[in-house]
Amino acid sequence: MMKRLNSVVVKLWLTIILIVTTVLILLSAALITFIQYYFTQKTEESLYNDAKSISTVIEKSKNRQLAINHSEMLLEGNKGVIILPDSNNAFLKDKEKKEMLAFIKQDKDLNNIKLTQKKEIKHVSIKVNDKKQTYLLLGYPTIDHNGQKSVIYIYEDLRSISDTNNVVAIIILITAIIFLIVTTIFAFFLSSRITNPLRLFKEQAQEVAKGHYDQQVHVQTKDEIGELAIAFNQMSHNIQHHIDDITTSKNIRDTLINSMAQGVLGINHQRETILSNELADNMIGEMTSDDILLFEKQINDTFKSQQTEYREYEINQKHYAVVMSYIDQIQTNKQSGLVAIIRDMTKEHHMEQMKKDFIASVSHELRTPISLLQGYTESIVDGIVTEPEDIHEFLLIVLDESKRLSRLVNELLDVAKIDAEGVNITKEVRPMSELIHKMGTKYRQIANELSLTLDFQQDGVMKDEWHYDFDRMEQVLTNLVDNASRYTKPGDTIAIHAKETPTEHVLTIHDTGVGISPEHLDKVFERFYKVDAARTRGKQGTGLGLFITRMIIEAHRGSIDVKSEVGKGTAFIIKLPKNS
């Protein structure tokens, strides 16, 4: 019920009906008052005219009584006349005149007209036959033919005026009802015509509130409602345009934030996270209770200082650097907040440690051969060693250490060149058997010295042509066979097997040595990384050979993998794509 009353149609209809009703009531009251006043004035004029006529008759008539009798004949309608003094007292037989005479005698103004000679007219209410009636009474002074002062009281029943007013009121009421009916129809028509576009506006506005900004209002009028429709449609278009811009900006922002190598974290003044990406979520998820306390302390310090605060965290064997900066307004509510940039420093820490280990390793590797070179050379130069056989032995040691230094320098140069230029390869079509045969020749003597068995062959495809850089692949196999020789013991086997699949050439370098622990398998191809020296026979490498090997294989667009089991051996599997 209240919803209907709050409708614009009902309100507009009630307003129009109220206005029309008010106008009709005021107009009817004015009209009835005017008609009543008009008829009263006409009645008074008629009474005055009749009084003048009677006065003239009385003044000119020599027979007073006859004049009085003739006076009543001059009256028309509901009029009556009393002329005082009247010697016949004819009015005593008429109850209406009797009641009227009684009223005249009680009224001071009417009773004294004979003395004052002033005209008096009044509305008189008297009871006749137990019914109260209203009259218009006129007291008119006159003088008869003999000079005697008299008063003519002439009156008229006002029932005719009341009846007329009643008829007029009924006519006005019927007219008002007709007007109200017509007005109601017109009001509903007008309100519907006005409110139908408003209903459309309401429905479209509700759709816009739900996020459907492509809504349009179709209003053909050229009035204010039409202008409002044009403005509404333009507003919807602008909102849609702004929403699209905001959505695009948000998508770009989210994409940039999620693609950043650093973690991003936005925190408002209530310590609520309002923005984050995957790296930041991962760091927060890995935090222990102690880490969370330190992180909250950094947040509080940043809000307190309103400056940039830097902290480093070690979480689950990972290193993070967190830089927090204060922002005066981070949300639309104009509240302050902060933004944290999180950088995963694990690789940097690992690289730094590897560099330290590398420097220490290189220093050790250089110190040993340099010391040997210096010592044996000084022994020969100073003549301490004079026997030809001893000199020859010392020179062999010097040569071996020189080769060791050369290999170390070459590996360092290769890594530097890879970092600067990448790996340059020149592929050619050659059988893999040539390289395998060369490797067998190269390591036959070393295998005899170390009591190792070499199993270098190409399974059934010795004449198959491979696409590869011969010199680079020789470097790869040299690194892998050298590593295998250091991690084997007398009686073990080092094997190179080549085969093919429909899409790849596969080269496997396998040994039956001590194997590699599982915790080292994921890191053996990293630069400067070396497995436990206690498991190595002879001199330990620099930790660069497998890194260089991986880079060469990737330059061939191939892959290298390692499988190992402690105590049973290690296998490196190289896969090169065909015809690439």
Side-chain angles (χ1 to χ4, degrees):
M1 183 65 179
M2 290 301 295
K3 185 175 181 180
R4 291 182 177 178
L5 290 177
N6 287 327
S7 172
V8 176
V9 176
V10 175
K11 288 181 179 179
L12 186 58
W13 174 73
L14 290 176
T15 301
I16 295 174
I17 293 299
L18 180 61
I19 293 173
V20 172
T21 303
T22 304
V23 171
L24 287 175
I25 291 173
L26 294 176
L27 184 60
S28 299
L31 184 59
I32 291 173
T33 303
F34 172 75
I35 292 173
Q36 187 175 7
Y37 175 78
Y38 174 77
F39 281 108
T40 302
Q41 290 295 320
K42 285 296 183 182
T43 302
E44 290 181 1
E45 291 179 4
S46 177
L47 291 178
Y48 275 112
N49 291 333
D50 290 339
K52 287 181 181 179
S53 298
I54 293 172
S55 176
T56 302
V57 171
I58 293 174
E59 287 178 0
K60 294 181 178 181
S61 178
K62 297 179 180 181
N63 187 342
R64 176 182 176 83
Q65 189 60 44
L66 182 61
I68 293 173
N69 293 334
H70 286 171
S71 297
E72 291 184 356
M73 297 174 65
L74 295 175
L75 301 179
E76 295 178 355
N78 298 323
K79 296 178 183 178
V81 63
I82 299 174
I83 302 173
L84 296 178
D86 187 354
S87 58
N88 292 330
N89 295 326
F91 54 81
L92 294 177
K93 298 177 182 180
D94 191 335
K95 291 183 179 181
E96 184 182 39
K97 291 184 177 182
K98 184 178 180 181
E99 293 292 334
M100 188 65 67
L101 181 60
F103 180 83
I104 292 171
K105 291 180 177 181
Q106 292 175 2
D107 188 281
K108 182 179 179 181
D109 295 331
L110 294 174
N111 197 32
N112 293 331
I113 291 176
K114 186 177 180 180
L115 298 176
T116 60
Q117 291 294 302
K118 291 182 180 180
K119 303 170 187 176
E120 293 288 344
I121 188 167
K122 286 189 177 184
H123 288 265
V124 177
S125 295
I126 60 176
K127 276 187 178 184
V128 179
N129 297 325
D130 297 327
K131 290 183 179 180
K132 194 172 185 179
Q133 296 181 13
T134 302
Y135 298 85
L136 187 62
L137 176 61
L138 171 65
Y140 191 89
T142 185
I143 300 173
D144 60 12
H145 181 71
N146 298 321
Q148 182 183 354
K149 294 180 180 180
S150 300
V151 179
I152 302 171
Y153 295 97
I154 186 172
Y155 58 89
E156 183 176 357
D157 192 350
L158 295 180
R159 280 182 297 177
S160 59
I161 298 177
S162 299
D163 293 340
T164 303
N165 286 338
N166 291 336
V167 172
V168 172
I170 292 173
I171 294 173
I172 292 175
L173 179 61
I174 294 172
T175 305
I177 292 174
I178 294 173
F179 268 106
L180 285 176
I181 294 173
V182 173
T183 303
T184 299
I185 297 172
F186 172 75
F188 270 109
F189 172 76
L190 180 62
S191 59
S192 298
R193 185 174 179 81
I194 294 175
T195 56
N196 280 338
L198 297 180
R199 288 196 189 97
L200 291 176
F201 283 133
K202 183 190 74 173
E203 293 172 359
Q204 302 304 333
Q206 289 174 345
E207 292 297 320
V208 171
K210 294 177 182 178
H212 304 151
Y213 302 107
D214 56 345
Q215 301 298 315
Q216 296 289 317
V217 178
H218 302 285
V219 178
Q220 304 299 327
T221 60
K222 296 182 180 181
D223 54 8
E224 289 82 355
I225 295 179
E227 294 176 358
L228 179 60
I230 295 173
F232 182 87
N233 294 336
Q234 185 64 35
M235 179 192 70
S236 299
H237 175 75
N238 292 338
I239 291 176
Q240 181 64 51
H241 179 70
H242 292 317
I243 292 295
D244 291 341
D245 289 344
I246 293 172
T247 302
T248 301
S249 300
K250 183 179 181 297
N251 292 336
I252 294 174
R253 183 202 68 183
D254 293 343
T255 302
L256 289 175
I257 289 175
N258 291 326
S259 62
M260 288 177 62
Q262 293 82 20
V264 179
L265 195 65
I267 301 174
N268 61 17
H269 71 291
Q270 295 177 343
R271 276 54 171 181
E272 296 173 344
T273 300
I274 59 175
L275 178 68
S276 65
N277 61 1
E278 185 176 358
L279 195 149
D281 293 336
N282 292 339
M283 189 199 81
I284 299 297
E286 294 174 356
M287 281 185 171
T288 63
S289 56
D290 294 335
D291 296 328
I292 292 175
L293 290 176
L294 293 175
F295 192 72
E296 290 177 350
K297 184 178 185 303
Q298 184 179 3
I299 293 175
N300 294 330
D301 292 343
T302 305
F303 275 112
K304 184 177 180 180
S305 64
Q306 297 186 1
Q307 300 295 328
T308 299
E309 297 288 337
Y310 177 86
R311 299 283 193 282
E312 291 188 3
Y313 298 85
E314 185 176 355
I315 303 172
N316 196 20
Q317 298 182 349
K318 293 182 179 180
H319 297 268
Y320 296 97
V322 179
V323 180
M324 288 188 183
S325 299
Y326 178 83
I327 299 179
D328 288 333
Q329 182 177 341
I330 197 171
Q331 288 179 296
T332 55
N333 56 10
K334 298 183 179 180
Q335 297 295 333
S336 62
L338 56 86
V339 172
I341 303 299
I342 302 169
R343 184 178 179 186
D344 188 350
M345 303 292 291
T346 305
K347 291 184 179 180
E348 285 79 356
H349 277 264
H350 183 58
M351 290 294 295
E352 188 67 26
Q353 186 62 39
M354 286 195 299
K355 286 180 181 179
K356 292 179 182 178
D357 295 341
F358 170 73
I359 292 172
S361 177
V362 170
S363 300
H364 176 73
E365 293 290 337
L366 290 175
R367 185 184 299 110
T368 301
I370 289 174
S371 298
L372 291 174
L373 286 173
Q374 182 179 355
Y376 285 105
T377 304
E378 287 178 351
S379 298
I380 296 173
V381 172
D382 294 341
I384 297 175
V385 179
T386 57
E387 295 295 329
E389 294 180 357
D390 294 336
I391 293 174
H392 182 263
E393 182 181 355
F394 277 28
L395 289 176
L396 289 176
I397 295 173
V398 169
L399 178 61
D400 184 54
E401 295 300 325
S402 298
K403 290 180 179 178
R404 182 179 174 187
L405 280 175
S406 177
R407 185 172 64 252
L408 176 61
V409 171
N410 286 335
E411 287 182 348
L412 292 174
L413 290 175
D414 284 342
V415 171
K417 189 174 182 180
I418 289 172
D419 288 338
E421 305 174 1
V423 180
N424 295 321
I425 61 171
T426 303
K427 291 184 180 181
E428 55 183 335
V429 180
R430 296 180 66 171
M432 180 55 67
S433 58
E434 294 183 11
L435 180 57
I436 294 177
H437 179 73
K438 184 175 181 180
M439 294 301 298
T441 303
K442 183 177 181 179
Y443 281 95
R444 186 176 297 114
Q445 181 178 354
I446 297 175
N448 292 333
E449 293 175 357
L450 299 177
S451 300
L452 299 174
T453 300
L454 298 181
D455 181 13
F456 292 0
Q457 63 177 332
Q458 190 168 0
D459 298 346
V461 286
M462 295 298 289
K463 296 181 180 180
D464 188 36
E465 293 183 342
W466 292 40
H467 296 262
Y468 66 100
D469 187 318
F470 189 89
D471 293 335
R472 287 294 189 180
M473 287 303 297
E474 180 182 358
Q475 184 180 1
V476 168
L477 294 181
T478 299
N479 286 336
L480 295 176
V481 174
D482 279 345
N483 282 341
S485 66
R486 285 198 296 271
Y487 288 92
T488 53
K489 55 185 182 296
D492 286 336
T493 299
I494 300 176
I496 300 178
H497 290 176
K499 64 179 182 178
E500 66 174 354
T501 67
T503 58
E504 296 174 322
H505 292 295
V506 182
L507 195 61
T508 304
I509 298 88
H510 180 266
D511 68 69
T512 58
V514 296
I516 302 173
S517 301
E519 64 269 17
H520 297 293
L521 288 178
D522 294 336
K523 303 177 181 178
V524 294
F525 293 108
E526 295 179 2
R527 67 174 74 192
F528 312 127
Y529 190 84
K530 293 189 290 184
V531 183
D532 186 5
R535 305 173 60 84
T536 306
R537 177 175 62 181
K539 300 171 182 177
Q540 192 180 25
T542 60
L544 296 173
L546 290 180
F547 170 74
I548 296 173
T549 297
R550 178 172 65 85
M551 298 302 294
I552 292 173
I553 298 301
E554 289 179 355
H556 280 80
R557 296 188 180 181
S559 63
I560 182 169
D561 193 14
V562 59
K563 295 180 180 179
S564 182
E565 188 174 350
V566 176
K568 293 186 178 181
T570 303
F572 287 90
I573 300 96
I574 299 172
K575 296 179 180 179
L576 300 178
K578 288 184 176 181
N579 301 323
S580 60

